[in-house]
Amino acid sequence: MAGPSTRFVLFPGRHHLLTCFQADYLRRLAEEGAVTIVWAVTSANHENTKRNPVPYHRREAAIERFSVLSGLRSVVVPIFDTAYTDAFAEVTLKNIAVATGLELTPADTLVACSTPQVAKLYERLGFTVAQVEADPELRTTPERPWDVLLRLAAGDDTWRKLTHPATIDVFERYRLVDEIRMVVNDPLVGDEGGLTVTRDYRTYVEAFAGAAERKWDAVRQYVQPGRIVDIGCGAGAVLELADRETGLHESDLIGVEVARHLFQECLHKKAQGVFRNANVYFFHRNVLGGAVFKDRSVDSTLTFALTHEIWSYGRQRESLLQFARRIHDHTVPGGVWINSDVCGPDDPHRPVILRLVTDDGDNPASPHRDLASLDSAEVRRYVGGLSTRARLEQFAVDFAFPFDYEALPDGSVRLELGSAMDYLTRKDYTDNWLSETKEQFCGLSFAEWTTLLTEAGFEIGPASTAVRNEWVIDNRIAPVASLVDLEGQPLDWPTTHILTVAHRPWNE
């Protein structure tokens, strides 16, 4: 395939796993001359996601070792992920030129690519393409690297027979096998490393930063020095405040974040010198996927607005109990888990009548729309333009936790108190509507939280309490809604949040 003028073989791909077939195929392409293999490693800025479970620096290490063992001369170039574009091939070539000074052209470069859609982009530029695993001249169709990696993820040990020794060596030295299995099989996290594909993380970064001081002020007195872990740390705003505490200047400050976008923001802050403490670390992990910390190794664990997500995206109480037990296991005897989050009312199944205003937006004849085909801006405009009463109808369709309600002749609604509060505490989240409606705020009451924490092995401290967010009531709920019982008597608004301060017993 390679002609006398071929000086380079461009091999674009994610390259998480290298196969024995690839080694033989590339050697054949390079055997006619002094050819350099240019590895364009795509999604190089992604790791710990279903599509990209192996970080770039480990992929690069395997490629370099693969090249030595295979007798190939190689250049490895990271290609950061971008939004889809028909100019992907041009972008890749420009990245290579900037990184290496190599100006690859159809006259001196053969492209090795088995993905038809990508191959066409290079053919359009005049490059000849060798189809690797899809090569029609092969007698048998070899297994593609990603399929081999899925064998590994499934626990099928035959992956080793197909995988090049260079990859096996790197996977074993850096203990990547179990990590890959955990990430690929993770039931909570999407392909790109976030909880949902519709979430606008810029909005969340701004919200986290704005609320950080309030959150820290509420819990700082309960934080024990030593090893302090913020699980679901967002963009690291609370850890920034912990970093300024004189009494914690010798502590380790550790952030754990599952969303790739937020994790990268944490790394950016650390690189920019935001933190004064030298012992600040960040992990891109889902704690439910496996233990992050050794047993009895953490003095204080912080979680803010996280546990309702574990409830919502997992198996509700089962997942939350598993999470609580994992925190219990990594907590030192006498250590503390401080949790601040939303919660349900004490009597969530109580039937109530909810009255909602209709004059603050549109009241379409059709009570709801299918929003799946709309982009995020269209969803925001449509939902944001509905009246509070009409928005309830849309919420009932989109909410991932179905509830029964009865529309009464006077326009009010009969439903359970927990369902009413789930709507009222969510109705203003129009920027991320399709994400927010996947989450349940009122899954557990404070009493149910106390039972769960005790079951996980914690002792509940006296500072633990259920509270009502008066600002939300006064500014978001009361102006447009009212609650009465079935006899028409007004009801007070229930609690909306919890703060739990739970200790692992000293005698464990």
Side-chain angles (χ1 to χ4, degrees):
M1 178 69 71
S5 61
T6 300
R7 297 173 52 212
F8 304 100
V9 173
L10 172 57
F11 194 13
R14 288 180 287 156
H15 300 307
H16 291 286
L17 180 147
L18 309 173
T19 65
C20 296
F21 167 79
Q22 287 177 324
D24 293 338
Y25 193 86
L26 292 174
R27 276 196 297 261
R28 289 199 299 273
L29 292 182
E31 66 186 2
E32 296 183 24
V35 173
T36 298
I37 312 297
V38 180
W39 301 73
V41 183
T42 57
S43 298
N45 56 326
H46 288 193
E47 61 181 276
N48 204 49
T49 70
K50 289 184 186 295
R51 289 189 68 251
N52 297 289
V54 182
Y56 167 75
H57 62 289
R58 302 301 186 213
R59 289 182 258 171
E60 181 185 32
I63 291 169
E64 295 287 8
R65 183 156 179 75
F66 173 97
S67 301
V68 171
L69 295 177
S70 302
L72 296 169
R73 185 172 187 271
S74 291
V75 172
V76 188
V77 181
I79 309 296
F80 280 19
D81 194 61
T82 61
Y84 175 80
T85 172
D86 285 337
F88 172 75
E90 292 95 323
V91 170
T92 300
L93 293 168
K94 288 177 181 177
N95 271 271
I96 292 169
V98 170
T100 66
L102 297 175
E103 300 279 353
L104 304 183
T105 70
D108 61 12
T109 303
L110 174 70
V111 174
C113 179
S114 64
T115 305
Q117 299 92 325
V118 177
K120 288 179 181 178
L121 298 178
Y122 286 98
E123 289 174 338
R124 190 180 63 188
L125 299 179
F127 287 91
T128 300
V129 174
Q131 298 179 50
V132 200
E133 291 86 6
D135 194 325
E137 296 183 5
L138 298 174
R139 294 182 179 179
T140 59
T141 302
E143 197 148 351
R144 294 172 183 266
W146 185 251
D147 293 327
V148 179
L149 187 137
L150 291 180
R151 286 195 186 201
L152 179 159
D156 181 352
D157 209 45
T158 58
W159 72 271
R160 294 176 178 274
K161 296 179 181 179
L162 302 170
T163 302
H164 192 273
T167 289
I168 295 174
D169 174 58
V170 170
F171 280 10
E172 290 182 342
R173 277 191 287 136
Y174 294 100
R175 301 180 181 181
L176 296 178
V177 172
D178 288 341
E179 185 172 333
I180 291 169
R181 285 176 178 157
M182 177 188 73
V183 172
V184 172
N185 297 315
D186 192 327
L188 297 185
V189 183
D191 287 351
E192 298 304 334
L195 291 172
T196 62
V197 297
T198 59
R199 180 166 290 181
D200 178 1
Y201 284 97
R202 180 177 58 185
T203 303
Y204 281 81
V205 170
E206 294 169 353
F208 291 153
E213 287 195 27
R214 173 177 53 80
K215 291 177 179 178
W216 179 245
D217 286 343
V219 305
R220 60 193 293 271
Q221 61 184 309
Y222 310 116
V223 176
Q224 299 180 8
R227 211 167 189 219
I228 301 167
V229 176
D230 183 358
I231 300 178
C233 66
V238 169
L239 288 180
E240 288 184 55
L241 298 173
D243 179 60
R244 300 173 192 170
E245 291 282 339
T246 303
L248 302 178
H249 73 279
E250 292 186 353
S251 295
D252 290 351
L253 305 179
I254 303 167
V256 181
E257 178 53 53
V258 68
R260 175 176 54 81
H261 308 73
L262 301 179
F263 171 72
Q264 290 175 339
E265 181 64 21
C266 291
L267 296 184
H268 176 71
K269 285 184 177 180
K270 184 175 179 180
Q272 294 299 311
V274 169
F275 299 96
R276 296 176 297 183
N277 187 333
N279 295 310
V280 176
Y281 310 97
F282 293 100
F283 291 90
H284 187 193
R285 294 288 189 276
N286 170 22
V287 175
L288 281 183
V292 177
F293 304 102
K294 294 181 180 179
D295 288 356
R296 301 176 179 230
S297 67
V298 175
D299 296 277
S300 298
T301 300
L302 311 176
T303 51
F304 297 97
L306 171 71
T307 52
H308 75 274
E309 293 189 337
I310 293 171
W311 169 279
S312 300
Y313 293 104
R315 297 179 301 279
Q316 299 179 315
R317 192 181 192 280
E318 180 184 347
S319 293
L320 202 51
L321 180 60
Q322 177 188 347
F323 178 72
R325 285 173 170 162
R326 186 147 288 148
I327 293 179
H328 173 273
D329 290 345
H330 78 216
T331 301
V332 301
V336 64
W337 173 23
I338 304 164
N339 179 43
S340 174
D341 205 351
V342 292
C343 78
D346 291 336
D347 45 357
H349 300 299
R350 177 182 182 177
V352 296
I353 294 175
L354 177 63
R355 295 170 177 164
L356 303 170
V357 301
T358 59
D359 59 358
D360 59 344
D362 297 332
N363 296 281
S366 176
H368 55 77
R369 288 183 62 181
D370 181 359
L371 305 181
S373 62
L374 304 181
D375 63 32
S376 57
E378 291 172 321
V379 171
R380 181 171 59 250
R381 284 194 296 270
Y382 175 73
V383 177
L386 296 174
S387 73
T388 302
R389 176 65 180 84
R391 198 175 299 177
L392 172 66
E393 302 283 352
Q394 188 66 49
F395 181 80
V397 172
D398 298 327
F399 192 40
F401 301 84
F403 61 93
D404 294 326
Y405 67 99
E406 178 186 359
L408 301 178
D410 65 355
S412 59
V413 178
R414 175 174 172 161
L415 74 175
E416 291 185 345
L417 179 59
S419 300
M421 293 308 295
D422 255 316
Y423 168 63
L424 293 172
T425 54
R426 204 70 43 75
K427 66 182 179 59
D428 297 298
Y429 287 77
T430 56
D431 282 351
N432 291 284
W433 181 261
L434 292 180
S435 292
E436 292 295 344
T437 52
K438 289 182 171 62
E439 299 178 8
Q440 186 175 32
F441 280 14
C442 300
L444 290 179
S445 66
F446 179 73
E448 290 168 327
W449 258 111
T450 300
T451 300
L452 183 143
L453 290 171
T454 302
E455 187 176 342
F458 285 102
E459 294 178 344
I460 311 303
S464 301
T465 184
V467 298
R468 188 172 71 184
N469 188 317
E470 299 297 344
W471 188 94
V472 171
I473 298 297
D474 294 342
N475 292 275
R476 299 294 190 189
I477 296 178
V480 294
S482 60
L483 271 181
V484 300
D485 64 20
L486 299 187
E487 285 70 45
Q489 296 301 309
L491 296 174
D492 288 336
W493 295 108
T495 55
T496 58
H497 289 72
I498 55 163
L499 172 66
T500 54
V501 181
H503 294 84
R504 178 169 179 166
W506 281 103
N507 59 359
E508 285 192 350

